[in-house]
């Protein structure tokens, strides 16, 4: 079912481009798969699949209305993550009232285009509904709210998502626990509880912890290393560690990325790059784009060098739709496709790295 859906879309796009060229509507084809990459016409996902991995990109629901964007997402990638659609504020906007509209829309789109879906996220300090953050809860009440949320959401998406970011961003930079509502009310044991409830609701889905600034060796990644080691020892279900990969040229490439991925893999969990983007201080120029391309290649190489690194997800794929300018004014240009969906040098770097591993 998967291959025909993808071929039909690619064929449709190619036909449309040829017709437009004949009619003089466009100057030249822009972002067709792979041709400026590793000298191949294979998509990033096709190349990643050759070494048993996926290559994906996140999508926020409103972006699906951008058909040019949605078409390319569906042809180039093999996996997607909802940027917001499965977060608590979206899935349980009122206590005990669940709304799966946004997440379901992405699952439907993904199925129609042969993409697998990573669930994001069951528990996070951000984008919680008001009813939860403004309430005062006893530990028993909050435990029951958390258990009910995890159980209902995981059961709803059973068989539809291959992995869940069960707990997102639970550590501070210095490796101490973030004082989110769950930690403050329940103590650190909420993490193991969340993982157990998720497992009870879906015995097959891969259960991840996920965070940013954990790509390098350092106190924050050390904290996760210690936690996952402990969870494994206590036989708490934990299957993976997600390294978001929100990088910025001005802060330098994360030191020891490959070694870091490997040490988690050696604990017996999968690892994945879950939200990759590499921003820069604007304006972009040739030098910065070349450095960005080099970094994208390095991240891809690092994942490919670690057997249990199962895949890479970009956080969006085009500068047309990216969270960065709103959060870091003056920064951006973080993705491998520009605002007009043309390949940037980063695309070729990723394609080359994947092709080298596949061959
Ligand atoms: O839904 C409202 C809409 O009603 C309103 O009109 C609009 C006006 O600004 O805002 C909409 O909410 C926005 C929401 O995304 C949905 O589009 C929020 O303002 C905006 O802050 C929110 O940003 C999201 C951000 O998480 C929140 O922290 C980004 O789209 C999303 O890409 C980003 O993703 C996170 C990951 O989940 C975790 N790791 C970091 C990553 C980047 O911050």
């Amino acid at each position: 079912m998967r291959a025909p859906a993808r071929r039909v879309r690619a064929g449709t796009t190619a036909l449309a481009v040829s017709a437009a060229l004949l009619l003089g509507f466009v100057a030249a084809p822009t972002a067709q798969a792979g041709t400026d990459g590793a000298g191949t016409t294979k998509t990033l996902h096709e190349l990643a699949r050759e070494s048993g991995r996926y290559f994906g990109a996140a999508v926020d629901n409103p972006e699906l209305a951008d058909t040019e964007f949605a078409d390319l997402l569906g042809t180039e990638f093999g996996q997607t993550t909802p940027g917001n659609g499965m977060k608590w504020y979206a899935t349980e906007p009122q206590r005990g009232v669940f709304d799966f509209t946004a997440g379901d829309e992405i699952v439907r789109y993904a199925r129609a285009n042969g993409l697998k879906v990573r669930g994001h996220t069951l528990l996070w300090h951000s984008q919680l509904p008001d009813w939860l953050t403004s309430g005062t809860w006893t530990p028993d009440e909050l435990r029951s709210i958390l258990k009910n949320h995890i159980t209902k959401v995981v059961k709803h998406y059973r068989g539809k998502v291959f992995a869940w970011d069960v707990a997102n961003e639970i550590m501070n930079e210095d490796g101490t626990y973030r004082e989110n509502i769950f930690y403050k009310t329940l103590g650190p044991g909420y993490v193991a509880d969340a993982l157990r409830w998720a497992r009870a609701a879906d015995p097959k889905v891969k259960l991840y912890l996920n965070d940013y600034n954990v790509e390098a060796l350092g106190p924050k990644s050390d904290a996760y290393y210690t936690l996952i080691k402990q969870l494994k020892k206590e036989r708490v279900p934990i299957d993976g560690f997600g390294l978001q990969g929100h990088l910025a040229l001005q802060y330098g490439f994360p030191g020891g990325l490959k070694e870091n991925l490997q040490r988690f893999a050696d604990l017996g969990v999968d690892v994945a790059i879950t939200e990759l983007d590499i921003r820069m201080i604007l304006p972009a120029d040739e030098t910065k784009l070349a450095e960005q391309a080099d970094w994208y290649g390095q991240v891809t190489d690092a994942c490919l060098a670690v057997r249990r690194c199962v895949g890479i997800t970009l956080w969006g794929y085009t500068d047309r739709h990216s969270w960065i300018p709103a959060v870091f004014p003056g920064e951006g240009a973080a993705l491998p496709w520009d605002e007009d969906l043309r390949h940037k040098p980063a695309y070729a770097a990723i394609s080359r790295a994947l092709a080298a591993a596949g061959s």
Side-chain angles (χ1 to χ4, degrees):
M1 183 180 129
R2 167 184 179 122
R6 295 168 74 84
R7 255 186 247 119
V8 167
R9 282 183 165 275
T12 310
T13 309
L15 273 177
V17 169
S18 316
L21 276 171
L22 277 174
L23 295 169
F25 288 162
V26 289
T30 51
Q32 296 309 295
T35 46
D36 61 352
T40 165
T41 53
K42 291 180 183 166
T43 66
L44 297 186
H45 179 63
E46 285 165 347
L47 291 169
R49 203 174 42 193
E50 285 171 10
S51 59
R53 295 174 173 84
Y54 61 82
F55 204 94
V59 61
D60 198 11
N61 288 76
E63 296 162 7
L64 288 176
D66 176 348
T67 50
E68 193 190 10
F69 169 90
D71 278 356
L72 186 53
L73 177 69
T75 50
E76 183 76 38
F77 298 96
Q79 177 272 332
T80 192
T81 305
N84 289 299
M86 292 185 186
K87 291 173 180 174
W88 199 319
Y89 81 109
T91 51
E92 194 184 358
Q94 303 297 327
R95 185 174 179 185
V97 178
F98 288 82
D99 181 349
F100 298 113
T101 317
D104 286 355
E105 183 187 26
I106 288 176
V107 168
R108 264 197 313 276
Y109 164 85
R111 283 199 164 172
N113 289 279
L115 276 59
K116 54 184 197 168
V117 181
R118 190 185 165 80
H120 175 80
T121 170
L122 297 173
L123 169 178
W124 191 23
H125 62 275
S126 183
Q127 292 176 290
L128 292 171
D130 286 345
W131 65 263
L132 178 54
T133 48
S134 60
T136 358
W137 311 107
T138 65
D140 279 351
E141 282 169 336
L142 189 60
R143 189 173 289 108
S144 133
I145 286 169
L146 184 58
K147 181 177 182 185
N148 188 47
H149 180 76
I150 290 176
T151 305
K152 292 271 170 38
V153 176
V154 172
K155 279 193 171 163
H156 180 82
Y157 286 111
R158 202 157 48 184
K160 296 176 180 162
V161 303
F162 71 95
W164 269 110
D165 289 330
V166 174
N168 191 42
E169 302 176 8
I170 58 168
M171 294 290 178
N172 292 315
E173 296 305 299
D174 65 0
T176 56
Y177 277 93
R178 187 190 284 272
E179 301 235 337
N180 63 26
I181 180 177
F182 309 106
Y183 181 85
K184 282 195 287 193
T185 315
L186 305 172
Y190 82 88
V191 180
D193 285 342
L195 288 160
R196 289 190 180 106
W197 294 327
R199 173 59 77 242
D202 184 346
K204 290 195 181 140
V205 72
K206 300 276 186 190
L207 306 177
Y208 277 68
L209 303 180
N210 189 53
D211 211 327
Y212 62 89
N213 278 353
V214 290
E215 297 75 27
L217 294 163
K220 198 172 183 182
S221 55
D222 286 351
Y224 278 99
Y225 183 80
T226 307
L227 173 59
I228 291 174
K229 195 172 182 180
Q230 186 65 24
L231 292 169
K232 287 291 248 184
K233 198 170 140 203
E234 291 168 4
R235 300 190 170 278
V236 175
I238 172 77
D239 302 307
F241 183 45
L243 300 89
Q244 294 182 4
H246 293 295
L247 308 182
L249 292 185
Q250 66 272 24
Y251 301 130
F253 191 81
L257 172 61
K258 193 179 83 179
E259 293 73 14
N260 195 29
L261 291 170
Q262 188 62 58
R263 71 172 169 156
F264 283 97
D266 291 343
L267 287 179
V269 293
D270 289 343
V271 287
I273 308 292
T274 53
E275 305 184 15
L276 182 61
D277 50 24
I278 304 175
R279 63 187 190 270
M280 61 186 69
I281 295 169
L282 298 173
D285 61 28
E286 221 174 284
T287 312
K288 289 181 207 168
L289 291 174
E291 191 182 8
Q292 180 189 53
D294 177 61
W295 284 31
Y296 268 107
Q298 284 195 60
V299 173
T300 308
D301 283 341
C303 178
L304 291 166
V306 175
R307 196 183 52 80
R308 291 199 72 152
C309 184
V310 295
I312 297 177
T313 308
L314 305 173
W315 206 241
Y317 68 87
T318 156
D319 297 334
R320 184 188 293 183
H321 300 297
S322 168
W323 65 287
I324 288 169
V327 176
F328 299 103
E331 297 179 42
L335 292 156
W337 277 258
D338 72 10
E339 294 185 1
D340 297 320
L341 301 190
R342 283 185 304 240
H343 294 156
K344 292 157 67 180
Y347 178 90
I350 299 169
S351 178
R352 271 198 303 270
L354 293 172
S359 66

